[in-house]
């Protein structure tokens, strides 16, 4: 079955960087793309960007543009999301999700808690 | 891009129906027939229950239905069951398909 397994929880200091991985299995990796979505404590879902494993298309929302980089490794069917210059309000659970489009996402990974604290 | 507007909470008794609204603008919900809805049980991964405004992925019960009128999309859950208690999020493309906006989420309580 299609499965996305994310890397484990991270604790980072303000100003540091974090790189979260998401390993896909159960389908042909290069036929889909991935959105990353985060949920801060007590908040709703927030879209962090998209990367297509099909054609390399990438885009990020303005809010995180310049601080986020998404990459794929087709040899290991893994997608990565790196967020730099971390702030306390980046504390959130980060999800990867497979998509035929940026907004039609199925399935989702189990989530990775990133805590930013001094 | 502002989040889509959803009621913070709705509730209903088992067997009843509830409708959750999702209001956007002519640049997102109103511009595209691609609204999706996600069910999120806290601590678990979100799950898609509606895509393309009205379509259900296989395995999603037909108790879940979606619709749209103008800038507002709606999710209706009929025959409420205890397991439907969760947070629900709408989602839409925006900005020439290159941006995505989520609703603020609605907590459904089954009384």
């Amino acid at each position: 079955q299609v499965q996305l397994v994310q890397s484990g929880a991270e604790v980072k200091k303000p100003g540091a960087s974090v790189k979260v991985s998401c390993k896909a299995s159960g389908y042909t990796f290069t036929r889909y793309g991935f959105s990353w979505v985060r949920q801060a404590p007590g908040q709703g879902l927030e879209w962090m960007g998209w990367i297509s494993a099909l054609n390399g298309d990438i885009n990020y929302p303005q809010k995180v543009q310049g601080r986020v980089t998404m990459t794929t490794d087709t040899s290991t069917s893994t997608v990565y999301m790196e967020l730099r210059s971390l702030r306390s309000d980046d504390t959130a659970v980060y999800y990867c999700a497979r998509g035929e489009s940026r907004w039609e996402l199925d399935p989702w990974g189990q989530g990775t808690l990133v805590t930013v604290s001094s | 891009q502002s989040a889509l507007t959803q009621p913070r909470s709705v509730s209903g008794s088992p067997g009843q129906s509830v409708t959750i609204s999702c209001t956007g603008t002519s640049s997102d919900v109103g511009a595209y027939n691609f609204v999706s809805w996600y069910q999120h049980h806290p601590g678990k991964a979100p799950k898609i229950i509606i895509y393309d405004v009205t379509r259900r992925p296989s395995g999603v019960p037909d108790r879940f239905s979606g619709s749209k009128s103008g800038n507002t999309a709606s999710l209706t859950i009929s025959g409420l069951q205890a397991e439907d208690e969760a947070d629900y999020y709408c989602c839409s493309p925006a900005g020439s398909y290159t941006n995505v906006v989520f609703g603020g989420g609605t907590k459904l309580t089954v009384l």
Side-chain angles (χ1 to χ4, degrees):
Chain A
Q1 75 284 17
V2 178
Q3 196 172 10
L4 303 178
V5 178
Q6 298 182 220
S7 49
E10 303 262 14
V11 179
K12 297 292 183 180
K13 294 194 181 303
S17 299
V18 69
K19 191 170 186 177
V20 180
S21 68
C22 169
K23 183 172 175 60
S25 61
Y27 72 100
T28 303
F29 181 74
T30 52
R31 295 181 103 173
Y32 293 84
F34 296 85
S35 276
W36 285 86
V37 178
R38 71 181 178 182
Q39 184 176 36
Q43 303 298 310
L45 302 177
E46 179 183 16
W47 185 69
M48 295 287 289
W50 162 267
I51 181 167
S52 172
L54 176 66
N55 59 19
D57 187 27
I58 298 174
N59 74 286
Y60 311 123
Q62 196 166 6
K63 182 176 179 180
V64 295
Q65 180 85 38
R67 291 202 300 134
V68 67
T69 300
M70 295 176 186
T71 56
T72 60
D73 181 346
T74 56
S75 68
T76 60
S77 299
T78 303
V79 59
Y80 298 91
M81 192 261 330
E82 181 180 33
L83 188 60
R84 299 176 294 277
S85 302
L86 289 168
R87 311 185 292 242
S88 58
D89 62 356
D90 291 317
T91 294
V93 175
Y94 289 76
Y95 295 98
C96 63
R98 186 190 76 165
E100 294 203 25
S101 66
R102 290 160 174 78
W103 52 88
E104 185 185 325
L105 305 171
D106 179 43
W108 295 51
Q110 84 275 20
T112 297
L113 175 61
V114 175
T115 303
V116 183
S117 174
S118 54
Chain B
Q1 191 76 32
S2 299
L4 307 175
T5 300
Q6 298 181 230
R8 291 289 295 261
S9 64
V10 297
S11 62
S13 299
Q16 289 186 331
S17 295
V18 295
T19 296
I20 299 171
S21 62
C22 168
T23 301
T25 70
S26 57
S27 297
D28 39 61
V29 174
Y32 309 100
N33 287 320
F34 293 125
V35 174
S36 50
W37 288 89
Y38 296 89
Q39 179 188 62
H40 188 200
H41 289 102
K44 293 195 164 185
K47 172 188 172 185
I48 192 168
I49 55 172
I50 295 288
Y51 66 100
D52 293 353
V53 178
T54 62
R55 304 179 72 169
R56 276 187 314 277
S58 61
V60 174
D62 60 5
R63 303 186 295 103
F64 294 88
S65 62
S67 62
K68 193 189 87 165
S69 177
N71 297 336
T72 298
S74 298
L75 171 71
T76 298
I77 309 170
S78 57
L80 273 177
Q81 299 182 3
E83 68 232 41
D84 298 335
E85 186 162 293
D87 298 319
Y88 291 84
Y89 293 90
C90 59
C91 177
S92 172
S96 300
Y97 299 100
T98 58
N99 201 2
V100 172
V101 61
F102 280 92
T106 298
K107 180 177 179 59
L108 168 63
T109 300
V110 180
L111 302 170

